[in-house]
Amino acid sequence: MTEQSITPDLPTAPGGIAVVTGAGGGIGGAIVTELARAGYTVAACDLNVEAAQRALTEAGTDKGGAYRVDVSDSAGVAEVVTAIEHDLGPIRVLVNNAGIDKIEPFVDSTEETWRRIVDVNYLGTVIVTRSVLDHMIARSYGRIVNIASDAGRVGSSGEVVYSGTKGAVIAFGKALARETATQNITVNTVCPGPTDTPLLDQVAQQSQKRYDALSRAVPMKRIGTPADISPAVSFFAHPNAGYVTGQTLSVSGGLTMA
C-alpha cells in the first residue's frame, strides 16, 4: 500500500481569528474595521486596552475581544496569545502593527529613545510573530502581515532610528517568508506613506511647511488616511493570496514607486 501525503484542510474564504497589535491607533483601528467587515473575529491588542476596545466598538462588531499587551514583553505576549486561542480559537492571521516614534534630529535623540523604538517596532514584531508561529506551523496555515513604513525603504529625516527599525521589519518578513513558504504560511509587509495619524501630527507641530510639502509631493496630492492602508492588509490576509509571500507593498498615493 502506497503512503499518501495528507493535505491540510485550508480555508478558502476570510474568517477565523485575526490578531492585530497596535489596534488602538489610527491605522490599527482601520485594520480592525477592515478585517471585521471581511468576516474575521478580531483580537484587538494594544498597551491601551480601552483604545483597543474602542476600535472593536467602532468596527461595529460584537465578536472578538480587546487584550492589553506590551509587544516588547515576551512573557506577557505569550500569555496573551494563549488567552486569545483559549477565548476565541486558533489564530489564522497576525497583523504586526504596533509601533512608536519620536520625530527629532538624530543628534538630539537619546539612547533611551532608541532602545524603546527598537524594542517596540522591531523586537515587538519578532516577539509576537514567534509567539504565534508554532500554532500556525502545527496547523499548516497562517497569514502574517507586518506594517512597516516607506521610511524603512527610502529613509526619513527626523526619523532615523525609526527608519532603521522599519527597514529591519521588511528584511525580517522576507527572511521568514522563505522559511515558512512550504507550510502554507505567508509573510508580507505593508509600507504606509505619509498618513493622517498622531505620528504625522508631530511633523505638523514641528513644521507646517514640511507637512504641506509632504502633501504636495504625493502624486495624488493628499495625505493618506488609515482607511487607505487597511485594504492592503486585507488582501495579504486573504486565503486566496496564498501564492504571495515575501512582498513589500507601499501604500503612498504614488509617492514611493519601488
Side-chain angles (χ1 to χ4, degrees):
M1 186 171 173
T2 306
E3 229 179 83
Q4 293 183 341
S5 61
I6 299 173
T7 302
D9 184 17
L10 302 178
T12 58
I17 311 307
V19 173
V20 179
T21 68
I27 291 176
I31 293 169
V32 169
T33 295
E34 183 79 22
L35 294 181
R37 288 176 179 169
Y40 295 95
T41 297
V42 181
C45 300
D46 201 285
L47 196 58
N48 183 340
V49 72
E50 290 82 10
Q53 181 58 59
R54 187 161 56 247
L56 288 170
T57 301
E58 291 176 356
T61 180
D62 57 1
K63 298 189 296 181
Y67 296 83
R68 185 187 183 281
V69 64
D70 178 350
V71 296
S72 68
D73 175 7
S74 55
V77 167
E79 289 179 7
V80 169
V81 168
T82 298
I84 291 169
E85 294 236 329
H86 175 269
D87 297 345
L88 304 177
I91 296 169
R92 286 186 177 176
V93 175
L94 168 63
V95 182
N96 285 306
N97 171 68
I100 60 170
D101 192 17
K102 182 179 180 181
I103 295 178
E104 59 185 349
F106 179 61
V107 295
D108 294 337
S109 62
T110 66
E111 184 172 347
E112 181 183 4
T113 298
W114 309 338
R115 290 188 179 278
R116 185 58 182 159
I117 291 172
V118 172
D119 282 349
V120 174
N121 295 2
Y122 179 57
L123 290 179
T125 296
V126 173
I127 287 168
V128 179
T129 300
R130 184 66 189 89
S131 293
V132 306
L133 194 56
D134 285 344
H135 303 274
M136 290 182 172
I137 291 171
R139 299 174 187 122
S140 295
Y141 183 84
R143 297 284 182 267
I144 299 171
V145 186
N146 298 323
I147 308 301
S149 168
D150 271 356
R153 307 189 81 179
V154 299
S156 177
S157 50
E159 300 179 284
V160 173
V161 176
Y162 173 86
S163 297
T165 62
K166 292 303 186 176
V169 166
I170 293 168
F172 169 74
K174 289 178 180 292
L176 183 61
R178 292 185 181 277
E179 290 195 3
T180 61
T182 60
Q183 296 160 308
N184 297 307
I185 299 169
T186 64
V187 188
N188 293 289
T189 302
V190 174
C191 286
T195 307
D196 186 15
T197 64
L199 178 59
L200 198 65
D201 288 344
Q202 290 186 47
V203 175
Q205 289 166 13
Q206 290 189 359
S207 171
Q208 185 64 43
K209 184 177 180 181
R210 182 183 171 198
Y211 180 93
D212 294 341
L214 269 175
S215 181
R216 290 194 301 271
V218 176
M220 290 188 177
K221 302 303 179 188
R222 69 175 178 86
I223 296 295
T225 68
D228 290 320
I229 311 303
S230 54
V233 176
S234 185
F235 165 71
F236 283 136
H238 199 287
N240 290 351
Y243 200 58
V244 181
T245 196
Q247 301 305 304
T248 304
L249 176 62
S250 288
V251 184
S252 61
L255 180 62
T256 304
M257 299 185 184

